[in-house]
Each structure stands twice: as C-alpha cells, then as structure tokens.
Amino acid sequence: MTAEDRTTTPTRPVRGAEVSEAAEPAGGPPAYPDATRADAGLATFSTWRVGTPERQRAAVDAIATTWQRLPWPTPELLGYSVYIGTDGETLLHYAQWTSEAAREAYLRAGRQAAHAAEIDAAVPGIERDGVTSYRLYRSAFTPGARGPQAPAVGCAIAVIIDFDGPDEARLRRWVDGWFDGDEPEVDDFDGLLAAHFHVSMDGTRVLNYAEWVSAQAHIDALATIHEDHPAHDVGEEPDAHEEPDAGRPEPAQSVQADGDGDGDQWESQLAFPGLKSTSFQRYHLSWTRTAPRPDSG
C-alpha cells in the first residue's frame, strides 16, 4: 500500500457501495465522501444511539428530510454524511469543515438548533455521545484503490485509539509507527482500500476511518489477525447466526511488551506507551450531502 502524507494526498472519487442496509436514493447508493479533500481543514465524528434497526432507518429518514427542507447552514460545512452501524443501534456522523474556527462560529450562531429540533421531534430519545474534532494526518491507499476501475467502497470502519492524556505529538508518532517509509504493514489485508488516520484536536485520540470493500472483508481480516496473534484476541467469536459485531464495540485487550525483541510491529503499536484502549465499529453509508455551489442556492 502506498502511503501519502496529508499534504500530498490527492483527491480521488470513490464509487458508491452495494450495501443493502443503506437508504439508497433513486439514482443508486450514495458515494462515500472523499476523506482527503484538500479544502477540509477539520473533520468531526460523532455517534448517536437509537436502539433498533427500525429507529436507525427512521433517524436517517428524518435527517434526510430535515436537511433537504432547511437551507444549508453554512458554506464552511463542506459535507455531512450519516452511516448506519451494523450493530443495529448506532449511527455515525462524519462532517468536513473548512476550519475549526468556521465550526465554532456555526455553533455560536446556533444554526444547528433547527435541524436538531426537527429530527428529535421525529425520533424522540436519541442518545448523542458527543462530537470529537480531528485533523486528517496521514492517508494510505492499497494498489488499485483509486481510479475509474477502483473497487467500490462497501463499508467504513471507525477504529478509535484512546490515550491516557493530551499529547498531539504522541498521536502523530503512533500513526507514523504504522508506516515503514511509505509502506504500512496493513497492505496485506484483502479488501482494505484506504486508511485515513485522524488526530483529535484535544490530543487524546486517533481515529482511523478505514474504507473496505465489504464488512465481510473486514471480518475475514480480523480472523487472520487473531490467527497470527492469538494472545491478543479482542473477544469471543460471535455465534454464526448473529451479526459479527453485534452490540457496542468492545475494547481491545491491552498488550504488554514481552521483551523477546522480535520487533513485531503489531505488538509494538498496541504496546505503545500511553495507549489506553482501542475499539471499532462497522458502518454502511446511508445518506450524504455536500455544500451547494454558490450559484445553486
């Protein structure tokens, strides 16, 4: 996989995924957003807990209706995407902004209140877990992941790595540890298209927004990891009749350095000083919009 720093990663189109869970518009499934767009100086991620698959779909419908009816709140909000979690209860919200200052101005003006009120009226009882602000630090793509013949993105994995205190330089060192020159270790995973490493503005968290061809490809990759690192398994294998990641994301077990000097990158990254926990969730894109052009209203 060829890795490219944030400053040099080009924008690339990503075709829509064939996802049955997604609320598909008349023209086909929505296209996953471009995480590397050059004008995005800030990314925000948040989760909502709505309880059931039916309420997931109802919440997405309410979001789509509200955002279609109300004016786009500010041109500094470049894009907003909503994903349905395969756990059957969560939604992931991903927004791209021109800058942190632009988002702060939007919040001070209270322009989010009208959208929130309409959505809450349609789907009462949403549990919002809060919004975390990030900057995209480094992105990596597998060979063939870009261009007109690139496979479609079918699933997004939000991998969250929490540290024990604020230190942005440490977050960047941790991300850099996955890269050996320009070649991350994850290039052997079949079905992985791209990994976009974000560092939080408060210096406590890394979020890897990873693009895969399907949820099953990610499940198969985890099975391979568990075979190679049986002592570092993240939990019990799910029942064959259940959703593979049913329930809330489980934190990965802490990995202690074993001192054998084998230099294994996987163990080294998970034993990184100050790393507190990791978790992940699988999502399918359900709805997305970008800021209207100035002449389109």
Side-chain angles (χ1 to χ4, degrees):
M1 178 188 293
T2 300
E4 302 173 21
D5 289 335
R6 172 68 181 91
T7 55
T8 59
T9 302
T11 299
R12 57 117 167 96
V14 181
R15 298 183 314 200
E18 296 178 359
V19 178
S20 59
E21 290 92 335
E24 298 182 3
Y32 279 65
D34 178 11
T36 66
R37 58 182 298 171
D39 53 350
L42 182 77
T44 62
F45 290 88
S46 64
T47 55
W48 291 2
R49 303 195 183 278
V50 295
T52 67
E54 293 75 19
R55 281 173 55 84
Q56 283 180 314
R57 291 190 289 271
V60 173
D61 289 344
I63 291 167
T65 299
T66 299
W67 280 75
Q68 182 66 33
R69 191 184 69 79
L70 295 176
W72 189 257
T74 174
E76 285 77 24
L77 173 59
L78 301 174
Y80 172 36
S81 302
V82 182
Y83 304 71
I84 286 180
T86 61
D87 61 355
E89 67 170 280
T90 58
L91 299 177
L92 176 71
H93 300 256
Y94 169 33
Q96 292 173 295
W97 296 80
T98 56
S99 68
E100 181 182 20
R103 180 174 182 271
E104 290 177 349
Y106 160 82
L107 294 176
R108 287 195 302 269
R111 282 174 279 179
Q112 75 279 16
H115 293 79
E118 289 202 11
I119 295 165
D120 286 340
V123 186
I126 295 171
E127 297 179 24
R128 293 172 169 85
D129 288 349
V131 180
T132 303
S133 297
Y134 297 87
R135 287 196 183 96
L136 179 61
Y137 175 47
R138 297 187 75 170
S139 290
F141 298 92
T142 56
R146 291 175 287 178
Q149 302 303 315
V153 181
C155 185
I157 317 297
V159 185
I160 296 175
I161 303 94
D162 282 313
F163 288 79
D164 60 8
D167 186 343
E168 183 174 342
R170 175 171 60 180
L171 303 185
R172 292 173 182 268
R173 289 195 302 273
W174 186 87
V175 173
D176 292 341
W178 285 110
F179 292 77
D180 178 11
D182 283 339
E183 298 296 328
E185 183 179 284
V186 294
D187 60 353
D188 292 331
F189 293 161
D190 290 337
L192 174 60
L193 300 175
H196 305 286
F197 292 93
H198 298 71
V199 297
S200 66
M201 301 293 286
D202 66 4
T204 65
R205 174 177 289 181
V206 171
L207 186 147
N208 174 15
Y209 173 83
E211 297 171 319
W212 289 73
V213 296
S214 67
Q216 188 60 51
H218 182 250
I219 293 167
D220 294 343
L222 286 186
T224 299
I225 293 172
H226 296 165
E227 290 175 0
D228 293 341
H229 306 271
H232 306 147
D233 192 69
V234 297
E236 298 289 334
E237 286 295 321
D239 184 89
H241 301 291
E242 296 177 352
E243 170 62 39
D245 56 344
R248 298 186 180 185
E250 293 294 332
Q253 297 175 353
S254 297
V255 180
Q256 302 298 324
D258 55 17
D260 62 6
D262 63 5
D264 183 275
Q265 185 185 29
W266 186 264
E267 295 185 10
S268 176
Q269 288 298 102
L270 293 180
F272 197 90
L275 190 151
K276 187 168 64 174
S277 66
T278 68
S279 62
F280 73 89
Q281 180 59 276
R282 301 183 184 98
Y283 295 95
H284 294 145
L285 180 64
S286 186
W287 176 87
T288 187
R289 279 194 69 187
T290 56
R293 296 179 182 275
D295 59 352
S296 63

